[in-house]
Amino acid sequence: MSLIKVIGNKTMAALAVIFTLFSSTAVFAQEAAAIAKPVDMEPVYRSTIFYVLLFLLACLFVAIVGKALKVYELTRETQGKSQGINWDLINAVLFVIFLIVGLYGVYFEYTVHGKMILPEAASEHGKKIDQMFEITLILTSVVFIATHIVLFIFAYIYRYNKARKAYYYPHNNTIERIWTIIPALVLTVLVLMGFLTWRSIFHKVEDPNNKPLSIEVTSSQFQWDIRYPGKDGIVGKKNYKLITSTNNLGIDFNDRNSQDDLVADEIVLPVNKAVRFTLTSKDVIHSFYMPHFRVQLNTVPGMPTYFEFTPTITTDEMKAKTGDPNFHYILLCSKICGTNHFNMQKVVRVVSEKEYEEWLTNQKPYLNDGLRKAFNLPVPVATPEKATDTAATASVKTPAENQLALKK
């Protein structure tokens, strides 16, 4: 073969072009690697636009493949050839593949993410809610899996076939009765379970000998204000018209029940003691949400709402159960109430009755000197420091004095 024929050969020319491009790319890559520093791609992988572009690139790839296959089919059609690809069979096989992948996805969600659905219930009514949730989830999962297996298998078995004619089957009373009566009965049972569970939570018979602990929680953008009752055990009244810079909750101190109320930075609850929350809002609708106690109720401006429950597991016990020394119950807002909604949190502690009483004695009264003056209430006279020091010194006796007192 002469040199001119070798150069003019298309295959050789194509190979030469590929070799030249490969060599040039390799050289440029080596130079770039020698000059450039390694780039940290982590911020790129975490950005939303990266995945949007990746999705668009995948769509473009599918479109190009689809166009190429369309050209292939049109070419065979113009040449008078039979259909090159049996799309009916391919679609049927894809249905089966999708079914298998989907069932594995269901299995994965149950075994991996299923453990993340809800933490262990730490309240009496929480067990009832979990039981209702599990029954509903099992029933719906069985129906979901069974119907999708039938759906995709039918799509595979009854794919288009020239040698087979579809049977016209417009109506069957028996089948319609079955798929109407059975779902109706199942849904009726689920609705009755939910209704009875709801009534057991919100319609409690009040026991005068064992009244629940009353706590008032006021929501606002973006915080929770906690008010505990004083020795009288009653949280006093409040009025939004009384809200000032010093009285930010609008508490009415003309009501004697308000004068001994306490303000707290956290929610502390005694274990195995019924607690009744009075929920109000100063601005927009928030949602009082404590997932471990299965408590969730909206706080609505101008309309107090109530939720009563009994915590059953202390914070220390839950730390031992979870193996997390930093564990704590938490109060969240589950309404998207503004820009700082995510930061609307409050720590909740469940302790023994003794620890609760000790904690309660260290809380400050809401009624301070400024509010006393504003409501024309008597301001207690402060004891001079010197007098206090003298009294403290006088009350302390030396060991010799104590011995003399004992002999007497």
Side-chain angles (χ1 to χ4, degrees):
M1 183 182 291
S2 63
L3 181 61
I4 296 175
K5 288 183 178 180
V6 172
I7 295 173
N9 187 277
K10 293 181 179 179
T11 304
M12 295 300 294
L15 290 173
V17 170
I18 294 171
F19 177 75
T20 303
L21 289 173
F22 178 77
S23 302
S24 303
T25 305
V27 171
F28 288 139
Q30 290 176 359
E31 292 179 356
I35 297 172
K37 296 180 179 180
V39 180
D40 183 14
M41 298 297 290
E42 188 69 21
V44 177
Y45 296 146
R46 291 186 177 183
S47 63
T48 305
I49 192 169
F50 171 77
Y51 293 98
V52 172
L53 293 174
L54 198 63
F55 173 75
L56 294 176
L57 183 63
C59 292
L60 181 62
F61 175 76
V62 172
I64 291 172
V65 172
K67 286 293 182 182
L69 292 175
K70 185 67 176 177
V71 170
Y72 170 73
E73 292 291 340
L74 290 174
T75 303
R76 292 185 64 87
E77 187 177 344
T78 55
Q79 294 174 354
K81 297 180 180 180
S82 60
Q83 186 181 14
I85 301 174
N86 188 349
W87 289 109
D88 298 311
L89 178 60
I90 289 176
N91 286 332
V93 171
L94 288 175
F95 269 107
V96 174
I97 293 173
F98 190 85
L99 172 63
I100 296 171
V101 174
L103 290 177
Y104 174 76
V106 173
Y107 169 78
F108 177 82
E109 287 297 320
Y110 271 84
T111 55
V112 178
H113 292 155
K115 300 175 182 178
M116 306 177 188
I117 294 177
L118 283 173
E120 181 181 356
S123 63
E124 286 184 355
H125 77 274
K127 297 177 181 178
K128 298 178 183 179
I129 290 180
D130 285 357
Q131 182 182 13
M132 186 176 64
F133 179 83
E134 289 169 2
I135 293 173
T136 304
L137 187 61
I138 290 170
L139 289 174
T140 53
S141 297
V142 170
V143 174
F144 173 80
I145 292 171
T147 53
H148 279 76
I149 289 175
V150 173
L151 174 66
F152 288 105
I153 293 299
F154 264 61
Y156 176 80
I157 294 175
Y158 297 105
R159 64 187 181 275
Y160 174 72
N161 188 345
K162 292 181 180 179
R164 181 172 57 193
K165 184 178 180 181
Y167 176 69
Y168 184 63
Y169 195 70
H171 187 69
N172 187 302
N173 288 330
T174 303
I175 292 177
E176 290 194 5
R177 289 192 188 99
I178 290 172
W179 69 39
T180 301
I181 295 173
I182 292 178
L185 291 175
V186 173
L187 289 174
T188 301
V189 171
L190 293 178
V191 170
L192 285 174
M193 282 180 57
F195 175 73
L196 295 174
T197 303
W198 179 81
R199 281 191 61 85
S200 68
I201 295 171
F202 286 95
H203 294 270
K204 295 181 180 293
V205 178
E206 187 173 343
D207 182 2
N209 299 322
N210 188 23
K211 292 185 178 181
L213 168 66
S214 295
I215 303 174
E216 183 192 74
V217 178
T218 304
S219 61
S220 59
Q221 294 176 309
F222 299 93
Q223 66 180 19
W224 302 99
D225 291 296
I226 316 299
R227 190 160 60 120
Y228 277 76
K231 294 181 179 180
D232 57 6
I234 301 173
V235 179
K237 298 178 181 178
K238 65 179 184 180
N239 190 331
Y240 72 94
K241 296 179 181 179
L242 300 175
I243 294 177
T244 61
S245 58
T246 54
N247 187 12
N248 64 333
L249 296 182
I251 297 174
D252 184 4
F253 291 106
N254 292 320
D255 176 19
R256 291 186 177 182
N257 295 325
S258 299
Q259 296 180 10
D260 62 348
D261 289 347
L262 307 172
V263 61
D265 292 329
E266 61 179 348
I267 298 177
V268 177
L269 308 175
V271 69
N272 298 323
K273 171 73 175 177
V275 182
R276 180 180 172 86
F277 281 96
T278 302
L279 310 174
T280 60
S281 176
K282 286 175 61 177
D283 38 43
V284 299
I285 295 178
H286 300 272
S287 188
F288 182 82
Y289 179 46
M290 294 191 291
H292 291 88
F293 304 112
R294 307 298 189 263
V295 173
Q296 184 175 16
L297 194 67
N298 286 348
T299 63
V300 185
M303 185 181 76
T305 52
Y306 307 92
F307 202 112
E308 182 179 329
F309 72 98
T310 303
T312 56
I313 304 175
T314 65
T315 301
D316 290 338
E317 289 173 345
M318 190 61 82
K319 285 180 180 179
K321 286 189 174 187
T322 59
D324 181 9
N326 298 319
F327 171 86
H328 58 267
Y329 298 115
I330 192 167
L331 165 62
L332 302 167
C333 175
S334 59
K335 288 285 185 188
I336 303 177
C337 56
T339 53
N340 286 328
H341 152 77
F342 69 94
N343 200 33
M344 196 168 171
Q345 303 179 11
K346 185 71 73 173
V347 173
V348 181
R349 288 198 298 122
V350 180
V351 297
S352 65
E353 184 74 26
K354 181 180 178 182
E355 290 175 302
Y356 171 74
E357 295 295 339
E358 292 175 355
W359 173 85
L360 197 64
T361 56
N362 295 324
Q363 302 312 301
K364 297 179 181 179
Y366 190 94
L367 182 59
N368 53 36
D369 291 347
L371 290 172
R372 286 181 179 276
K373 293 177 181 178
F375 280 84
N376 297 319
L377 297 174
V379 178
V381 179
T383 306
E385 292 183 4
K386 291 183 179 180
T388 306
D389 295 339
T390 305
T393 305
S395 63
V396 177
K397 296 182 179 180
T398 62
E401 291 174 338
N402 288 334
Q403 293 295 330
L404 289 172
L406 288 172
K407 289 179 180 179
K408 291 179 181 179

